[in-house]
Amino acid sequence: MIARFAAGDRVAVRHADPPGHVRTPFYIRGKAGVVERLCGAFANPEELAYGRTGLPAKPLYRVRFAQREVWPDYAGPTADTVDIELYEHWLEPA
Amino acid sequence: MTEEHNHPHETLPDQDGPLSYYQRMEAAVRELLVEKGVLAAAEIREAVEAMDARSPADGARVVARAWVDPAFKARLLADGSAACRELGIDIGGTNLVAVENTPDAHNLIVCTLCSCYPRLLLGLPPDWYKSRAYRSRAVREPRAVLAEFGTDLPADVAVRVHDSTADMRYLVIPMRPSDTDGFSEAELAALVTRDSMIGVALARQP
């Protein structure tokens, strides 16, 4: 597996709206965060859902976002975060 | 009970409606597997029974070990699945990420897309974990959700929400309660509740 990003890299989630079984929540699309860790490579669920192999496996990352970045009106402290698992093809350098 | 059961209350609906699409699909696949001899009906029943019998006890055991053994805790944080197997816990193919509560940060687990949950470690998820209200609000206003569970956190403790969107499953290591010096691992495990491992509550005070 060749991973495009490493822990600490700043990344943005693609602002895309493809049809099908997608595991990137709408609320995080278009937001920028920092790679917390590389989780490994996993079969692509967007393919698995339709009976295909999902291979080659895709790098999966946990990306940490500041809640204030995700929700501009977030009422809590600036240190609050949300971590989300995202497949590499959903991420771009930011 | 000898009293006559005549007090008025609404009864649960009998769910006599037509099967949903997925209920029909489940029945069709299950019956085909049995007909083709891939699985016996008893094997399916046993698997359901075993899953229903899982409880948060294994998770509590993992947390208690982490409290008393810093080297184990380090391994748990580095590779949650391997650390569980080290304790003889069968977590199947679960990819477990353990996250640790500290005086500076509190962790909360949710799956906004469905109801991903480390079932092999904690048993079946509570109904509220699967509700749309919890799934949407835990990411949007986690501190309000925590307060409704009776967990009020000061502003200098960061709330770290983990949305379990893909292949990893999450376990919160709550903070060890005070005044538990000298407790055995079993005594400590009794303080580790299901809710404290999801992150909506703290571990019990003895």
Side-chain angles (χ1 to χ4, degrees):
Chain A
M1 174 187 65
I2 297 169
R4 187 179 177 195
F5 304 107
D9 285 357
R10 198 162 165 76
V11 292
V13 184
R14 282 175 49 219
H15 209 316
D17 190 12
H21 178 84
V22 171
R23 298 205 66 86
T24 300
F26 280 97
Y27 74 86
I28 211 63
R29 298 182 195 180
K31 307 293 184 184
V34 174
V35 173
E36 192 269 344
R37 75 175 74 171
L38 172 63
C39 300
F42 293 89
N44 183 359
E46 295 165 22
E47 299 285 324
L48 284 178
Y50 298 97
R52 298 193 281 262
T53 64
L55 300 174
K58 300 242 177 199
L60 177 70
Y61 302 89
R62 290 179 73 221
V63 182
R64 180 163 292 176
F65 301 84
Q67 287 279 31
R68 294 274 182 96
E69 155 81 15
V70 179
W71 318 105
D73 63 345
Y74 184 74
T78 53
D80 287 4
T81 57
V82 56
D83 287 15
I84 304 185
E85 291 160 49
L86 295 159
Y87 295 90
E88 187 171 272
H89 61 285
W90 276 93
L91 299 175
E92 298 167 339
Chain B
M1 196 159 81
T2 54
E3 270 177 71
E4 196 181 345
H5 190 87
N6 63 356
H7 55 271
H9 62 75
E10 292 197 13
T11 55
L12 280 170
D14 281 332
Q15 300 183 314
D16 286 336
L19 295 177
S20 71
Y21 174 83
Y22 289 108
Q23 285 173 319
R24 271 183 290 145
M25 184 193 281
E26 181 277 324
V29 171
R30 173 165 41 79
E31 288 172 8
L32 270 174
L33 288 169
V34 172
E35 269 178 39
K36 302 278 185 195
V38 179
L39 290 171
E43 290 178 281
I44 297 173
R45 185 200 58 71
E46 283 164 14
V48 172
E49 186 177 43
M51 183 52 77
D52 285 350
R54 298 248 180 191
S55 80
D58 280 341
R61 197 152 66 83
V62 172
V63 170
R65 174 65 61 87
W67 282 347
V68 300
D69 182 346
F72 176 79
K73 186 172 81 178
R75 294 196 294 279
L76 178 64
L77 291 169
D79 184 340
S81 303
C84 290
R85 292 188 189 110
E86 194 183 312
L87 296 189
I89 297 169
D90 168 23
I91 60 162
T94 305
N95 299 296
L96 188 76
V97 174
V99 290
E100 183 186 15
N101 287 350
T102 68
D104 301 319
H106 180 92
N107 295 281
L108 177 68
I109 312 304
V110 63
C111 172
T112 58
L113 296 177
C114 43
S115 55
C116 296
Y117 189 79
R119 291 168 185 235
L120 294 178
L121 198 57
L122 300 186
L124 297 177
D127 284 344
W128 53 258
Y129 185 84
K130 300 182 278 185
S131 71
R132 186 177 288 272
Y134 179 76
R135 286 161 43 216
S136 55
R137 294 183 59 220
V139 282
R140 183 70 179 86
E141 45 175 8
R143 285 175 186 268
V145 171
L146 286 166
E148 287 170 28
F149 278 100
T151 305
D152 292 293
L153 296 172
D156 61 357
V157 176
V159 171
R160 302 210 182 289
V161 179
H162 303 270
D163 189 354
S164 186
T165 48
D167 289 276
M168 316 307 281
R169 298 292 176 269
Y170 295 88
L171 173 76
V172 174
I173 308 173
M175 281 200 290
R176 179 172 173 163
S178 53
D179 306 318
T180 55
D181 291 353
F183 275 44
S184 70
E185 259 181 74
E187 288 169 327
L188 289 170
L191 306 177
V192 184
T193 63
R194 174 196 71 192
D195 288 0
S196 72
M197 292 183 281
I198 301 173
V200 294
L202 310 180
R204 284 174 44 218
Q205 275 294 334

